[in-house]
Short mmCIF file of all heavy atoms in Angstrom, two decimals:
data_model
loop_
_atom_site.label_atom_id
_atom_site.label_comp_id
_atom_site.label_asym_id
_atom_site.label_seq_id
_atom_site.Cartn_x
_atom_site.Cartn_y
_atom_site.Cartn_z
N ARG A 1 116.08 125.96 86.65
CA ARG A 1 117.08 125.28 87.47
C ARG A 1 116.60 125.11 88.91
O ARG A 1 116.68 124.04 89.49
CB ARG A 1 118.39 126.05 87.45
CG ARG A 1 119.07 126.10 86.10
CD ARG A 1 120.37 126.88 86.21
NE ARG A 1 121.37 126.16 86.98
CZ ARG A 1 122.41 126.75 87.56
NH1 ARG A 1 122.57 128.05 87.49
NH2 ARG A 1 123.28 126.03 88.22
N GLN A 2 116.09 126.19 89.47
CA GLN A 2 115.62 126.11 90.85
C GLN A 2 114.38 125.22 90.95
O GLN A 2 114.20 124.50 91.94
CB GLN A 2 115.32 127.52 91.39
CG GLN A 2 116.52 128.44 91.44
CD GLN A 2 117.65 127.90 92.30
OE1 GLN A 2 117.43 127.16 93.26
NE2 GLN A 2 118.89 128.27 91.97
N GLY A 3 113.53 125.27 89.93
CA GLY A 3 112.38 124.37 89.92
C GLY A 3 112.79 122.91 89.86
O GLY A 3 112.18 122.05 90.51
N GLY A 4 113.84 122.60 89.07
CA GLY A 4 114.36 121.25 89.02
C GLY A 4 114.91 120.79 90.35
O GLY A 4 114.69 119.65 90.78
N ARG A 5 115.62 121.70 91.03
CA ARG A 5 116.14 121.36 92.37
C ARG A 5 114.98 121.09 93.33
O ARG A 5 115.02 120.15 94.13
CB ARG A 5 117.00 122.51 92.90
CG ARG A 5 118.24 122.79 92.06
CD ARG A 5 119.03 123.96 92.64
NE ARG A 5 120.18 124.32 91.81
CZ ARG A 5 121.11 125.21 92.13
NH1 ARG A 5 121.01 125.85 93.29
NH2 ARG A 5 122.11 125.47 91.32
N LEU A 6 113.96 121.92 93.25
CA LEU A 6 112.81 121.76 94.13
C LEU A 6 112.07 120.45 93.81
O LEU A 6 111.53 119.79 94.72
CB LEU A 6 111.87 122.95 93.97
CG LEU A 6 110.88 123.22 95.11
CD1 LEU A 6 111.62 123.43 96.43
CD2 LEU A 6 110.03 124.43 94.78
N ALA A 7 112.03 120.05 92.55
CA ALA A 7 111.40 118.79 92.17
C ALA A 7 112.13 117.61 92.82
O ALA A 7 111.49 116.67 93.31
CB ALA A 7 111.40 118.64 90.65
N LEU A 8 113.46 117.64 92.82
CA LEU A 8 114.22 116.57 93.46
C LEU A 8 113.95 116.53 94.96
O LEU A 8 113.83 115.45 95.55
CB LEU A 8 115.72 116.76 93.20
CG LEU A 8 116.19 116.64 91.76
CD1 LEU A 8 117.71 116.80 91.68
CD2 LEU A 8 115.77 115.31 91.14
N VAL A 9 113.86 117.69 95.58
CA VAL A 9 113.59 117.75 97.02
C VAL A 9 112.19 117.22 97.32
O VAL A 9 111.99 116.39 98.22
CB VAL A 9 113.73 119.19 97.53
CG1 VAL A 9 113.22 119.31 98.97
CG2 VAL A 9 115.18 119.65 97.45
N GLY A 10 111.20 117.68 96.56
CA GLY A 10 109.82 117.27 96.82
C GLY A 10 109.60 115.79 96.62
O GLY A 10 108.93 115.13 97.43
N ALA A 11 110.17 115.23 95.55
CA ALA A 11 110.01 113.80 95.29
C ALA A 11 110.65 112.96 96.39
O ALA A 11 110.09 111.95 96.83
CB ALA A 11 110.60 113.43 93.93
N ALA A 12 111.83 113.39 96.85
CA ALA A 12 112.50 112.66 97.93
C ALA A 12 111.69 112.74 99.22
O ALA A 12 111.56 111.75 99.95
CB ALA A 12 113.90 113.22 98.14
N ALA A 13 111.15 113.91 99.52
CA ALA A 13 110.37 114.08 100.75
C ALA A 13 109.13 113.20 100.74
O ALA A 13 108.79 112.56 101.74
CB ALA A 13 109.99 115.56 100.92
N VAL A 14 108.44 113.15 99.61
CA VAL A 14 107.23 112.31 99.51
C VAL A 14 107.61 110.83 99.63
O VAL A 14 106.93 110.06 100.33
CB VAL A 14 106.50 112.58 98.18
CG1 VAL A 14 105.37 111.57 97.97
CG2 VAL A 14 105.94 114.00 98.17
N SER A 15 108.67 110.42 98.97
CA SER A 15 109.10 109.01 99.05
C SER A 15 109.45 108.63 100.47
O SER A 15 109.06 107.56 100.96
CB SER A 15 110.31 108.78 98.14
OG SER A 15 109.99 109.03 96.78
N LEU A 16 110.19 109.49 101.16
CA LEU A 16 110.61 109.21 102.53
C LEU A 16 109.41 109.17 103.47
O LEU A 16 109.30 108.27 104.32
CB LEU A 16 111.62 110.25 103.00
CG LEU A 16 112.19 110.07 104.40
CD1 LEU A 16 112.91 108.73 104.52
CD2 LEU A 16 113.15 111.22 104.73
N ALA A 17 108.49 110.11 103.32
CA ALA A 17 107.31 110.15 104.18
C ALA A 17 106.43 108.92 103.96
O ALA A 17 105.91 108.34 104.91
CB ALA A 17 106.52 111.43 103.93
N ALA A 18 106.26 108.53 102.69
CA ALA A 18 105.44 107.35 102.39
C ALA A 18 106.03 106.09 103.00
O ALA A 18 105.31 105.24 103.55
CB ALA A 18 105.27 107.20 100.88
N TYR A 19 107.35 105.95 102.91
CA TYR A 19 107.98 104.76 103.48
C TYR A 19 107.93 104.77 105.00
O TYR A 19 107.59 103.76 105.63
CB TYR A 19 109.43 104.68 103.01
CG TYR A 19 110.20 103.58 103.69
CD1 TYR A 19 109.79 102.25 103.61
CD2 TYR A 19 111.35 103.86 104.43
CE1 TYR A 19 110.49 101.24 104.24
CE2 TYR A 19 112.06 102.85 105.06
CZ TYR A 19 111.63 101.55 104.97
OH TYR A 19 112.32 100.53 105.60
N ALA A 20 108.23 105.91 105.60
CA ALA A 20 108.21 105.99 107.06
C ALA A 20 106.81 105.75 107.63
O ALA A 20 106.66 105.31 108.77
CB ALA A 20 108.73 107.34 107.52
N GLY A 21 105.79 106.02 106.84
CA GLY A 21 104.43 105.78 107.29
C GLY A 21 103.93 104.38 107.07
O GLY A 21 102.80 104.05 107.46
N SER A 22 104.73 103.52 106.46
CA SER A 22 104.30 102.16 106.15
C SER A 22 104.63 101.21 107.30
O SER A 22 105.52 101.47 108.12
CB SER A 22 104.99 101.66 104.87
OG SER A 22 106.38 101.48 105.09
N ALA A 23 103.89 100.10 107.34
CA ALA A 23 104.16 99.09 108.36
C ALA A 23 105.54 98.47 108.19
O ALA A 23 106.21 98.14 109.16
CB ALA A 23 103.08 98.01 108.32
N ALA A 24 105.99 98.34 106.93
CA ALA A 24 107.27 97.68 106.66
C ALA A 24 108.44 98.43 107.29
O ALA A 24 109.43 97.81 107.70
CB ALA A 24 107.49 97.58 105.15
N ALA A 25 108.34 99.76 107.39
CA ALA A 25 109.44 100.53 107.97
C ALA A 25 109.70 100.14 109.41
O ALA A 25 110.85 100.17 109.88
CB ALA A 25 109.13 102.03 107.88
N GLY A 26 108.65 99.76 110.14
CA GLY A 26 108.82 99.40 111.54
C GLY A 26 109.09 97.93 111.77
O GLY A 26 109.72 97.56 112.75
N THR A 27 108.64 97.07 110.85
CA THR A 27 108.73 95.62 111.08
C THR A 27 109.89 94.96 110.35
O THR A 27 110.51 94.04 110.87
CB THR A 27 107.41 94.94 110.65
OG1 THR A 27 107.13 95.26 109.28
CG2 THR A 27 106.26 95.42 111.52
N THR A 28 110.19 95.39 109.11
CA THR A 28 111.27 94.76 108.33
C THR A 28 112.17 95.82 107.70
O THR A 28 112.30 95.88 106.48
CB THR A 28 110.68 93.86 107.23
OG1 THR A 28 109.81 94.67 106.39
CG2 THR A 28 109.89 92.72 107.82
N PRO A 29 112.81 96.66 108.50
CA PRO A 29 113.56 97.79 107.92
C PRO A 29 114.78 97.37 107.10
O PRO A 29 115.17 98.10 106.18
CB PRO A 29 113.98 98.60 109.15
CG PRO A 29 113.99 97.61 110.28
CD PRO A 29 112.88 96.66 109.97
N VAL A 30 115.38 96.22 107.40
CA VAL A 30 116.58 95.83 106.66
C VAL A 30 116.26 95.60 105.19
O VAL A 30 116.89 96.18 104.29
CB VAL A 30 117.22 94.58 107.28
CG1 VAL A 30 118.37 94.07 106.40
CG2 VAL A 30 117.74 94.88 108.68
N GLU A 31 115.26 94.77 104.92
CA GLU A 31 114.92 94.48 103.53
C GLU A 31 114.04 95.55 102.90
O GLU A 31 114.18 95.87 101.73
CB GLU A 31 114.23 93.12 103.45
CG GLU A 31 115.18 91.94 103.50
CD GLU A 31 116.26 92.01 102.42
OE1 GLU A 31 115.94 92.28 101.25
OE2 GLU A 31 117.44 91.80 102.75
N SER A 32 113.12 96.12 103.68
CA SER A 32 112.21 97.10 103.09
C SER A 32 112.88 98.45 102.84
O SER A 32 112.29 99.31 102.18
CB SER A 32 110.98 97.29 103.97
OG SER A 32 111.33 97.84 105.23
N SER A 33 114.11 98.65 103.31
CA SER A 33 114.82 99.90 102.99
C SER A 33 115.04 100.04 101.49
O SER A 33 115.36 101.13 101.01
CB SER A 33 116.16 99.95 103.72
OG SER A 33 117.01 98.89 103.30
N ARG A 34 114.83 98.95 100.74
CA ARG A 34 114.93 99.05 99.28
C ARG A 34 113.87 99.99 98.72
O ARG A 34 114.00 100.49 97.60
CB ARG A 34 114.79 97.67 98.64
CG ARG A 34 113.41 97.03 98.80
CD ARG A 34 113.42 95.59 98.26
NE ARG A 34 112.10 94.97 98.28
CZ ARG A 34 111.58 94.35 99.32
NH1 ARG A 34 112.29 94.29 100.45
NH2 ARG A 34 110.38 93.81 99.26
N TYR A 35 112.81 100.25 99.49
CA TYR A 35 111.77 101.15 99.03
C TYR A 35 112.26 102.59 98.92
O TYR A 35 111.58 103.44 98.35
CB TYR A 35 110.56 101.10 99.97
CG TYR A 35 109.89 99.74 100.05
CD1 TYR A 35 109.26 99.32 101.21
CD2 TYR A 35 109.90 98.86 98.96
CE1 TYR A 35 108.66 98.07 101.29
CE2 TYR A 35 109.30 97.62 99.04
CZ TYR A 35 108.69 97.23 100.21
OH TYR A 35 108.09 95.99 100.27
N LEU A 36 113.44 102.86 99.47
CA LEU A 36 114.04 104.20 99.37
C LEU A 36 115.04 104.27 98.22
O LEU A 36 115.80 105.24 98.13
CB LEU A 36 114.74 104.57 100.68
CG LEU A 36 113.83 104.73 101.90
CD1 LEU A 36 114.66 105.03 103.14
CD2 LEU A 36 112.81 105.84 101.66
#
């Protein structure tokens, strides 16, 4: 159970970090927010 919770946290953190590090996050945030 705790491992499953940690998996959800880790996947979200990686997704958020990858998007925030992309050029789209700074230039087209309205449409590129779909990446989240």
